[in-house]
Amino acid sequence: MRLKSPHHVKFQVLDLEQTEVFAQDFGLLTVERTDQQLIMRTGGGDAFAYVAKKGNEAKFLGLAFEVESKNDLESAISDHGASPIRELTTPGGGMAVTLVDPNGLEIDLIYGIQRINPEEAYKHLEMNAPGQYTREGRFEPKRPMGPAKLFRLGHVGLFIPSFAATLPFYRDVLGLIPSDVYHIPGQPQAQIVGFCRLDRGEELVDHHVVALMQSQTGETACHHISFEAQDFEAQFMTHRYLESKDYELVWGVGRHPHGSHIFDVWRDPDRNRFETFSDTDLLKASDGSRVHNIAEVEMDVWRSDPPDRYFE
Ligand SMILES: [Fe+2]
């Protein structure tokens, strides 16, 4: 099976209207909203990237990846016991099967979904630097303070009860490759966190599409969802906008040591973490894996805050 890219995430939320207001301020664009369901997209051309269903309790329902071909759906059924192929009635059409990960999370594999025309991006950021003074003039800021222009769903962070019990599904069934793995201090075999990328052979892919994080409480949940923003300047302008609306900041704007991406994380009305990222590292399948002692890992190379604050 060859995953192409993450496609969308699904949540159950308490109040669709409040969720939509936050998500629009964050940068997602509404595709449709009914009494029971909210479907939103990025501006990058996806038919949709975020689904919220109304319910009595806030919870993460699962995520979906696009695959290369209908054959991938069929092999997911024959090799891994996925559900039968079903036609999708969501925007963009297509078809899907569902796998269930070891913790009960639904992982949809989808094929044949139609894309739409992308929104216009900001003009590429030009920066003057020693030896490269190429930008002429600039008399006022070029970016508005407002919701992010989002380009795609990039990755999802998951809390899982056991890293050892969960990794084999993501590695052997979905074919993901651990890029950076963390172990308990003094116990190199006791791995508890892994940032996993797609296997696209020699094609460059994001440092991770799924981050598996062993939870302290044994829970299975979404830690965060992350959408690509254009660059750090766009992220800072959206940060100021979300601040002006009194949303709850989790962390940012900062830069992760592993993956190198610049991140900014906020909470939605149900306290789910929504992240923008930019400037991520890209790796090939042959770039291998690295293992680190978690005690030596920082959360943010630009700040000294204790990393556990991000996981509260
Ligand atoms: Fe992230």
Side-chain angles (χ1 to χ4, degrees):
M1 180 189 331
R2 199 144 214 221
L3 300 186
K4 203 166 156 189
S5 58
H7 188 269
H8 64 266
V9 284
K10 287 185 292 186
F11 286 84
Q12 182 171 292
V13 304
L14 299 176
D15 185 321
L16 287 176
E17 198 175 332
Q18 277 187 22
T19 298
E20 183 183 25
V21 169
F22 167 82
Q24 286 182 343
D25 281 335
F26 178 78
L28 289 169
L29 306 167
T30 300
V31 180
E32 61 183 52
R33 179 157 75 85
T34 65
D35 288 349
Q36 297 302 315
Q37 182 167 270
L38 167 68
I39 299 181
M40 303 185 85
R41 62 179 175 88
T42 73
D46 47 68
F48 66 102
Y50 172 85
V51 178
K53 294 174 190 288
K54 187 175 166 53
N56 294 329
E57 110 186 88
K59 62 178 178 182
F60 182 57
L61 298 176
L63 68 155
F65 292 93
E66 234 182 314
V67 295
E68 289 285 350
S69 69
K70 194 176 174 187
N71 283 345
D72 289 320
L73 301 183
E74 282 158 0
S75 65
I77 297 168
S78 58
D79 300 351
H80 305 297
S83 67
I85 293 177
R86 65 184 184 278
E87 299 290 326
L88 291 173
T89 54
T90 37
M95 56 189 81
V97 300
T98 301
L99 290 163
V100 180
D101 91 348
N103 310 303
L105 271 184
E106 289 192 351
I107 309 290
D108 289 341
L109 305 177
I110 62 176
Y111 171 68
I113 194 161
Q114 297 297 309
R115 291 179 65 79
I116 61 171
N117 289 332
E119 311 283 325
E120 201 174 325
Y122 291 119
K123 189 169 170 285
H124 193 62
L125 193 63
E126 286 179 79
M127 294 179 65
N128 279 332
Q132 284 188 310
Y133 296 105
T134 54
R135 192 187 72 237
E136 290 183 33
R138 175 165 172 171
F139 298 104
E140 74 284 329
K142 301 295 186 198
R143 302 280 177 76
M145 195 175 95
K149 283 179 187 279
L150 300 173
F151 294 84
R152 62 192 171 99
L153 173 67
H155 63 266
V156 177
L158 299 176
F159 275 139
I160 38 103
S162 162
F163 182 76
T166 302
L167 181 65
F169 172 84
Y170 286 86
R171 185 189 57 206
D172 305 333
V173 177
L174 298 184
L176 303 187
I177 302 169
S179 298
D180 283 292
V181 174
Y182 304 165
H183 65 78
I184 291 174
Q187 300 178 55
Q189 300 312 312
Q191 298 182 338
I192 50 172
V193 173
F195 296 89
C196 303
R197 67 186 181 274
L198 296 173
D199 181 355
R200 302 281 304 163
E202 289 307 285
E203 196 180 305
L204 287 168
V205 297
D206 288 2
H207 173 268
H208 58 277
V209 288
V210 172
L212 298 173
M213 297 178 268
Q214 189 163 302
S215 57
Q216 308 273 357
T217 56
E219 67 173 340
T220 299
C222 180
H223 177 267
H224 72 281
I225 55 175
S226 190
F227 297 90
E228 189 173 35
Q230 188 150 345
D231 51 40
F232 69 85
E233 182 151 320
Q235 288 175 283
F236 271 104
M237 296 311 289
T238 298
H239 181 102
R240 284 188 58 199
Y241 177 70
L242 294 172
E243 206 169 45
S244 77
K245 298 267 179 179
D246 286 332
Y247 290 115
E248 184 183 343
L249 173 67
V250 178
W251 199 320
V253 178
R255 190 188 273 278
H256 286 311
H258 297 136
S260 303
H261 44 304
I262 297 166
F263 65 88
D264 193 32
V265 189
W266 295 79
R267 288 199 194 267
D268 81 353
D270 289 326
R271 306 202 84 235
N272 296 304
R273 298 175 189 83
F274 277 58
E275 177 182 80
T276 59
F277 77 94
S278 68
D279 194 25
T280 182
D281 286 344
L282 297 175
L283 302 174
K284 300 188 286 269
S286 58
D287 284 328
S289 305
R290 301 183 302 176
V291 178
H292 316 266
N293 176 351
I294 197 167
E296 293 165 9
V297 173
E298 290 184 307
M299 189 63 226
D300 178 359
V301 295
W302 290 345
R303 290 178 67 125
S304 305
D305 298 24
D308 43 341
R309 186 167 76 76
Y310 186 52
F311 301 100
E312 286 164 0

